[in-house]
Amino acid sequence: MTAPDGSAARVVAVVVAYARRDLLVEALDALAEQTRQVDAVLVVDNASPDDSAVVASTHRVQPTVLELARNTGGAGGFAVGIAHAVDAMGADLVWLMDDDTIPRPEALHELLAARDDYDGPVAILGSRVVWTDGREHPMNTPRRRPGASGHAMRSAASVAAMPVRSSSFVSMLVDARAVRYHGLPIADYFIWNDDFEYSARLLRTGTGLHVPRSVVEHRTKSFGASDADPGPRFYYEVRNKIWMLTRSSSLSASERVLYAGASARRWVRTAGRSEDRRALLRAGARGLRDGLFRSPRSNVTSLAGLGPVSGSVERLERSAR
């Protein structure tokens, strides 16, 4: 569990919170009970209307709490959190999760063990995600990296892992070196597909591992996949997926074609299941328009005016390739 210079790796857990103070307490409790303790915890409070920030600041895990002046969504929260963890808190590894992610006690230990035993650098490691009843959560189901070589498969299997092409912010351990090279998640995504775009960008040439021995609970209100009826939020699914397919460096040309087809099929299924198809299609049409005719702003622009952390965002983004 070492840093590049051979010293112990400094792990900073980043929890992005919005208006779920009871779940946030459970997430922080779980971080306090890790068998391999995190070195620091950072809570990014996205201008919650409840007392999430106050509750976090008094928790026994003693987190640093960033209270944002406005809600930047999950995408902005993770961009800010990663920037602060790497630039201001000296993180070698950043462990990302939402406030409804409850890691089991061995979760971090197993991620680090796989990283240390793997023969080569690893940009991202992800946990097995289950729902409250222990079933694999369909919203966060990993898939083996397409075209993974026999060597890659054997290397991953040697640490009881699987090579992947993307990962979820529901327990994603990211190497700070990859952050400095590739930059941050795109804050203007706000919600949805931000983790897909970011992890796929880091893993286009980097190595990502799914580590089933590391387990977290994703305490969503219901058990379902990402193509369940999203209502007006379908706007973000369509807009962001188009942005990713047309404006991101995360995918190769052939992958763009494959993911475009998969997305179209998923959208048809979503529309077929919707209880208010007219509203869903209106949201999708707006997403299509904005995805085609607008572009996401730079993080320096979209995350300006948030105090010192805006400086961390700018420094990381300007140093990225």
Side-chain angles (χ1 to χ4, degrees), residues 172-242:
M172 180 193 294
L173 188 67
V174 184
D175 193 304
R177 291 171 294 180
V179 173
R180 293 189 182 95
Y181 186 78
H182 291 281
L184 301 167
I186 300 172
D188 254 9
Y189 276 46
F190 197 71
I191 58 171
W192 287 17
N193 291 303
D194 48 326
D195 49 1
F196 181 25
E197 190 281 333
Y198 188 57
S199 61
R201 189 178 354 137
L202 271 59
L203 297 182
R204 182 165 177 181
T205 57
T207 297
L209 296 177
H210 169 65
V211 184
R213 291 178 179 173
S214 173
V215 182
V216 302
E217 290 184 21
H218 192 191
R219 294 187 179 171
T220 54
K221 291 181 179 179
S222 59
F223 180 82
S226 58
D227 59 355
D229 191 353
R233 291 187 173 193
F234 192 52
Y235 167 82
Y236 296 104
E237 157 64 15
V238 174
R239 184 198 65 177
N240 296 352
K241 194 61 67 61
I242 291 174

Side-chain angles (χ1 to χ4, degrees), residues 118-154:
Y118 187 79
D119 183 20
V122 182
I124 290 174
L125 299 101
S127 301
R128 180 164 67 94
V129 183
V130 300
W131 198 48
T132 54
D133 61 2
R135 286 181 290 172
E136 299 271 349
H137 205 306
M139 190 179 292
N140 312 108
T141 302
R143 292 176 177 83
R144 189 184 74 183
R145 185 180 187 109
S149 68
H151 174 72
M153 292 296 296
R154 289 190 296 272

Side-chain angles (χ1 to χ4, degrees), residues 30-303:
L31 287 174
E33 293 162 7
Q34 291 298 297
T35 57
R36 193 293 195 183
Q37 288 288 299
V38 294
D39 297 285
V41 177
L42 172 63
V43 174
V44 180
D45 183 69
N46 251 326
S48 294
D50 63 7
D51 62 345
S52 290
V54 174
V55 167
S57 65
T58 58
H59 193 275
R60 61 190 168 101
V61 80
Q62 297 182 313
T64 297
V65 180
L66 287 179
E67 295 186 63
L68 303 187
R70 61 181 184 273
N71 183 4
T72 63
F78 283 114
V80 164
I82 295 170
H84 190 76
V86 173
D87 183 64
M89 299 178 73
D92 297 306
L93 299 164
V94 187
W95 191 19
L96 306 172
M97 63 194 73
D98 289 305
D99 53 4
D100 61 354
T101 303
I102 314 299
R104 301 270 177 87
E106 294 283 335
L108 179 58
H109 169 81
E110 294 293 353
L111 291 174
L112 292 173
R115 173 181 177 268
D116 287 348
D117 292 342
Y118 187 79
D119 183 20
V122 182
I124 290 174
L125 299 101
S127 301
R128 180 164 67 94
V129 183
V130 300
W131 198 48
T132 54
D133 61 2
R135 286 181 290 172
E136 299 271 349
H137 205 306
M139 190 179 292
N140 312 108
T141 302
R143 292 176 177 83
R144 189 184 74 183
R145 185 180 187 109
S149 68
H151 174 72
M153 292 296 296
R154 289 190 296 272
S155 296
S158 72
V159 296
M162 177 179 71
V164 292
R165 183 66 179 86
S166 63
S167 192
S168 165
F169 281 156
V170 181
S171 186
M172 180 193 294
L173 188 67
V174 184
D175 193 304
R177 291 171 294 180
V179 173
R180 293 189 182 95
Y181 186 78
H182 291 281
L184 301 167
I186 300 172
D188 254 9
Y189 276 46
F190 197 71
I191 58 171
W192 287 17
N193 291 303
D194 48 326
D195 49 1
F196 181 25
E197 190 281 333
Y198 188 57
S199 61
R201 189 178 354 137
L202 271 59
L203 297 182
R204 182 165 177 181
T205 57
T207 297
L209 296 177
H210 169 65
V211 184
R213 291 178 179 173
S214 173
V215 182
V216 302
E217 290 184 21
H218 192 191
R219 294 187 179 171
T220 54
K221 291 181 179 179
S222 59
F223 180 82
S226 58
D227 59 355
D229 191 353
R233 291 187 173 193
F234 192 52
Y235 167 82
Y236 296 104
E237 157 64 15
V238 174
R239 184 198 65 177
N240 296 352
K241 194 61 67 61
I242 291 174
W243 277 353
M244 181 176 175
L245 292 169
T246 61
R247 292 166 174 81
S248 170
S249 62
S250 58
L251 302 175
S252 67
S254 59
E255 287 175 327
R256 293 175 200 273
V257 173
L258 291 173
Y259 281 116
S263 296
R265 291 192 296 273
R266 185 177 300 111
W267 295 347
V268 169
R269 287 199 304 268
T270 300
R273 296 172 181 174
S274 177
E275 295 180 359
D276 188 347
R277 193 170 301 167
R278 178 177 294 182
L280 184 92
L281 293 177
R282 281 200 300 265
R286 289 191 299 108
L288 180 65
R289 177 199 65 200
D290 290 350
L292 291 173
F293 298 110
R294 290 179 50 199
S295 296
R297 297 171 295 170
S298 73
N299 283 344
V300 173
T301 298
S302 60
L303 297 174

